[in-house]
Amino acid sequence: MTRANQLAQRGFTLIEMMVVIAIIAIFAAVVFGLTLTTYGGNAENVSDEVASQISMARMRAVSTKRQHEVEIKNGSIAVWQGNTTGMQPATAFPTLVNQVDLPPNVSVWNAQNTANSGSGATPSQNTTLDYIVKINADGTSPTGATVFITDRQQHSKFRVLLYSLTGATYARIGW
C-alpha cells in the first residue's frame, strides 16, 4: 500500500466524532428549548410588563397633569390619556398612549378593585376580562387593583398590586 492510499483510507478519530456529537447536542437543546415557549411568553414577564405599564401611566399622569386609564384585556394592555387637565375627572380618554399585546400562552386570569397583598387568593377565571385601572393626575389610584396572571397550564401564578394612596405598583409571585 502506498502512502497516498493510507491517507485516503483514514477515518474519523474518536475525539473528532465526540466533538461533532457534542455540537449537535448543543444545537438540539437550543432548538428544543426555543420551540416549547413563546419568546418572553411566561407569567413572570407578563406580570412585570403589566406593572411597568401601570407605572408608566402613573408617571405620565403626574407629568402631564391628566388622568390616565390602563385597560387590561386578556390579550393586551393599553394606556389611555384623559381629556382634562388637573384634578378634574376626565370625561373621555381619546388618546392611546401605548399598547402591548400579550403572548397567547399567558392569561390575565382576573382583576379586582383592591390591592390584595395576602396570599391564598382563589379568583375565578374571567375569560371576557376588560378591566380598567384609573390613575389620577397626582399619581394615586381611586381604588387600587390586583391583577392575577398565570400561564395556560396554571403552573406559575403571579399578581400585580397597585396601592391606591401611593400609586406604587409591584409584581409578586403567587396568588
Side-chain angles (χ1 to χ4, degrees):
M1 232 184 323
T2 66
R3 177 94 174 135
N5 285 344
Q6 286 178 341
L7 292 177
Q9 293 180 359
R10 183 176 177 254
F12 294 109
T13 66
L14 183 60
I15 292 176
E16 290 171 333
M17 287 181 56
M18 289 175 58
V19 168
V20 170
I21 290 172
I23 291 171
I24 291 171
I26 290 170
F27 284 143
V30 169
V31 169
F32 182 71
L34 291 178
T35 58
L36 287 179
T37 60
T38 307
Y39 294 104
N42 63 44
E44 183 176 9
N45 289 349
V46 170
S47 66
D48 289 340
E49 184 63 35
V50 170
S52 69
Q53 291 298 313
I54 293 172
S55 294
M56 187 264 301
R58 180 176 177 250
M59 287 188 293
R60 279 189 53 86
V62 171
S63 65
T64 61
K65 301 291 186 225
R66 293 177 185 261
Q67 190 177 29
H68 280 62
E69 285 185 348
V70 180
E71 181 180 25
I72 301 170
K73 294 184 178 182
N74 213 355
S76 66
I77 308 164
V79 178
W80 298 87
Q81 179 176 292
N83 62 347
T84 59
T85 304
M87 290 304 290
Q88 298 173 343
T91 56
F93 292 85
T95 307
L96 177 63
V97 175
N98 193 27
Q99 182 167 351
V100 176
D101 292 329
L102 302 178
N105 61 328
V106 176
S107 176
V108 179
W109 193 259
N110 207 336
Q112 63 187 31
N113 283 334
T114 58
N116 185 355
S117 59
S119 61
T122 55
S124 59
Q125 184 179 15
N126 186 349
T127 56
T128 60
L129 183 70
D130 190 2
Y131 183 74
I132 303 291
V133 176
K134 293 193 180 289
I135 308 291
N136 294 329
D138 64 355
T140 62
S141 172
T143 61
T146 302
V147 180
F148 299 95
I149 299 163
T150 185
D151 59 1
R152 293 287 181 202
Q153 295 80 25
Q154 299 179 31
H155 294 303
S156 59
K157 298 177 179 180
F158 288 82
R159 63 189 154 153
V160 176
L161 304 171
L162 169 64
Y163 293 98
S164 60
L165 294 178
T166 62
T169 307
Y170 301 99
R172 297 277 190 254
I173 192 167
W175 290 350

